[in-house]
Amino acid sequence: MAVGVIGLGGMPMSIEGRPDEQRSVRTIHAALDAGVTLIDTADAYHLRAGEVGHNETLIARAVASYGGDTSDVLIATKGGHLRPGDGSWTIDGRPEYIKAACDASLKHLGVDAIGLYQHHRPDPTVPYADSVGAVRDLLDAGKIRLAGISNANPEQIRQAWEILGGRLASVQNQLSPAFRSSEPELALCTELGVAFLPYSPLGGIGRAGDLGGRFAEFARVAEAHGVSPQRVCLAWLLAKGPTVVPIPGASRPETIRDSAAAADLTLTDDEVARLDAAPR
């Protein structure tokens, strides 16, 4: 399924510091207005222990209330991460848990099949093949339409590719001006033709706003184009490969509008080289 080149990350709308629901809905509607067709979420994007799936249900309600056509919108969710409610993050990669989490996500999203379901993070206590095997079973059962993995290294990507019989649709790893260690995974995804979804592409919650202050070369290129450093950052990521779809998080309409506009910003080869060489 083809999606727009910029996605929307839903996490900021449901964890610490989240806005009221009306602003979140306006943000999601603004993303759809701007042509965003990939929205990323996870069952673990919530704050308190009793609200697992908060972000999934929020996104489902917002998409359902949108006045335009949403038939091409792909909602991607993830399972295998948990938030006990004390601010911590834990992991459960057991096949039985992943399958149960998928069933719960189906209910949160109100769908018969999830557009894209991704194994959230490898569990060191569970063989990776077992966790990915559960995702394969969900795909074979028709509970999910596309299968992906997140926070994976090249060996795990190749293993998932084999277990899924070449049906690996996406890899969601962190990649930004400050965090570039996922470039080998990006290169492998380009080789395999697998979508690479950089999360926290602007540096993550609380740091995205100062991207230009922390990375002077991005600010200089932005000034030359008359746009924000954040927009330049996303255009830089898009220049890294044909399968790259950044998923910047947002909780305000104006930020996702600016992010979506990166699809129309073309950087020169020299600018890309300068940004590649910029200090981290």
Side-chain angles (χ1 to χ4, degrees):
M1 180 178 181
V3 295
V5 296
I6 299 292
L8 168 64
M11 187 171 75
M13 302 180 220
S14 289
I15 65 166
E16 288 81 355
R18 67 192 187 195
D20 63 79
E21 184 166 321
Q22 288 186 341
R23 194 177 92 186
S24 292
V25 170
R26 290 197 302 272
T27 301
I28 295 166
H29 287 180
L32 298 173
D33 286 341
V36 170
T37 57
L38 172 65
I39 304 178
D40 177 76
T41 182
D43 59 354
Y45 294 166
H46 63 89
L47 187 57
R48 290 175 283 275
E51 53 177 30
V52 174
H54 179 278
N55 197 242
E56 294 174 318
T57 56
L58 169 64
I59 289 169
R61 286 197 298 269
V63 171
S65 67
Y66 182 65
D69 181 15
T70 59
S71 60
D72 61 346
V73 174
L74 177 64
I75 298 178
T77 192
K78 299 179 289 293
H81 236 337
L82 304 88
R83 297 205 79 191
D86 60 0
S88 66
W89 297 77
T90 59
I91 303 173
D92 192 338
R94 292 174 300 136
E96 58 269 29
Y97 175 76
I98 291 173
K99 291 179 180 180
C102 178
D103 286 341
S105 290
L106 283 164
K107 294 178 181 177
H108 298 150
L109 293 170
V111 295
D112 296 325
I114 293 171
L116 171 60
Y117 194 74
Q118 302 174 108
H119 175 40
H120 204 152
R121 185 177 291 273
D123 183 342
T125 69
V126 177
Y128 195 64
D130 292 352
S131 298
V132 177
V135 178
R136 177 202 57 214
D137 292 347
L138 294 168
L139 187 60
D140 290 341
K143 292 187 176 184
I144 65 176
R145 294 194 173 94
L146 297 169
I149 55 177
S150 184
N151 298 292
N153 61 37
E155 180 182 354
Q156 291 165 334
I157 293 172
R158 291 194 182 276
Q159 188 176 11
W161 176 266
E162 292 175 3
I163 292 169
L164 290 163
R167 296 176 294 170
L168 179 65
S170 65
V171 174
Q172 182 174 323
N173 276 22
Q174 186 175 0
L175 184 62
S176 69
F179 189 95
R180 304 192 192 182
S181 61
S182 286
E183 289 185 342
E185 290 81 5
L186 168 56
L188 179 55
C189 286
T190 301
E191 174 191 329
L192 295 174
V194 171
F196 186 84
L197 314 179
Y199 72 81
S200 297
L202 304 177
I205 297 172
R207 306 203 73 188
D210 190 38
L211 188 147
R214 292 185 294 123
F215 302 99
E217 195 61 42
F218 285 80
R220 282 191 282 268
V221 172
E223 184 177 4
H225 284 272
V227 300
S228 70
Q230 292 79 7
R231 195 182 304 185
V232 167
C233 177
L234 296 173
W236 167 69
L237 288 170
L238 290 174
K240 287 184 170 292
T243 67
V244 175
V245 184
I247 46 174
S251 62
R252 293 183 297 139
E254 52 267 36
T255 54
I256 191 56
R257 290 191 194 105
D258 186 72
S259 292
D264 300 318
L265 174 61
T266 301
L267 303 176
T268 66
D269 291 344
D270 176 67
E271 288 171 332
V272 172
R274 284 160 49 199
L275 296 174
D276 283 341
R280 306 181 185 187

